[in-house]
Amino acid sequence: MQSKRFRTGRVYAALGLLFAALSLAPSLHAASGMGDAANGKIRSQAEQCQECHGEAGLGTAEHYPKLAGQWAGYIRKQLGDFQSGARKSEIMNAMASDLSPRDIADIAAYFSSAPRWSGEEDNFSAAGRALYLNGDPSRALPACASCHGEKGAGADTGAGPIPALAGQRESYLINQLNAFKADDRANSPGAVMNEIAHRLSISEIAALAHYVSGPRAME
Ligand code: HEC
Ligand code: HEC
């Protein structure tokens, strides 16, 4: 449930931020956030989120995911899943446990309205690109692009938001695909990512992560 206070007191602040965001950067997803981004900035600092995910949501180490410009609906879903235990991570289950619904909405609005990350240097893999764009019909492996988009931008589809992937950190992507493959992460709708990752070999996961993390995945 989004807070009712948003609808009354915070509409003007949100509109102001929306305009500021739209005029600053082309790839922002601020429009999808339903929280108060200014308060989210304060709360994400107070809750120490920024220590690992960075002040601007760019992540401070290889295994900390970038959040800047990620869809707000996806961030909210993940924080809810960490709270309920549907997604397991020792760190994040603890970090999310005390967040109120309002904190979740505001923090998601803040990170999603931060300028979107760029790709990791010159990472590229031709094999990863082919698999990402075409999948492999011979083993019923769908193209990643069919859901995550050709440029890896994802989509805020409401109930089952699809994360932006392109330019995300390579080791984080490898960790997540391995976790889906091993069923250690099992929070995707209808277990769709588990079904897909079961069919990927370790070297395909490496090739996909190398391609997806690079700037050319966004072109
Ligand atoms: C000590 C480091 C650390 C802190 C502090 C931390 N995180 Fe995380 N966060 C992580 C790691 C590591 C992961 C990846 C977990 C996994 O392996 O699934 C993660 C994952 C996430 C994700 C999922 C991203 C995705 O692409 O699916 C979100 C959202 C998130 N954190 C938000 C937060 C918020 C909000 C806070 C503050 C309340 C916070 N984090 C504090 C380390 C941290
Ligand atoms: C049928 C749609 C669909 C297809 C096809 C698909 N994905 Fe996903 N993917 C999703 C959804 C939905 C999620 C979010 C799951 C959740 O709610 O936690 C996701 C999550 C992910 C994540 C976790 C991102 C993060 O920030 O934690 C990675 C990595 C990923 N997918 C990679 C891939 C790759 C690589 C392929 C192709 C081999 C692929 N996906 C194909 C729908 C899809």
Side-chain angles (χ1 to χ4, degrees), residues 20-36:
L22 288 175
S23 62
L24 278 173
S27 57
L28 291 177
H29 301 150
S32 61
M34 295 195 287
D36 176 340

Side-chain angles (χ1 to χ4, degrees), residues 120-191:
E120 292 196 23
E121 293 167 17
D122 47 13
N123 284 6
F124 180 73
S125 157
R129 182 173 196 273
L131 206 52
Y132 183 88
L133 293 178
N134 309 321
D136 182 356
S138 74
R139 14 172 201 153
L141 185 66
C144 316
S146 66
C147 291
H148 291 280
E150 271 186 31
K151 295 177 182 174
D156 206 345
T157 48
I162 299 169
L165 292 182
Q168 184 54 278
R169 290 189 180 272
E170 184 173 12
S171 3
Y172 173 74
L173 292 169
I174 292 175
N175 288 346
Q176 296 309 304
L177 290 169
N178 283 333
F180 283 126
K181 186 175 170 67
D183 293 330
D184 290 338
R185 178 170 172 184
N187 67 328
S188 65

Side-chain angles (χ1 to χ4, degrees), residues 43-69:
R43 296 298 299 141
S44 65
Q45 188 178 28
E47 294 289 335
Q48 298 175 324
C49 316
Q50 297 182 9
E51 286 181 21
C52 297
H53 295 288
E55 186 184 346
L58 295 176
T60 57
E62 260 298 307
H63 50 293
Y64 298 152
K66 298 172 183 175
L67 301 176

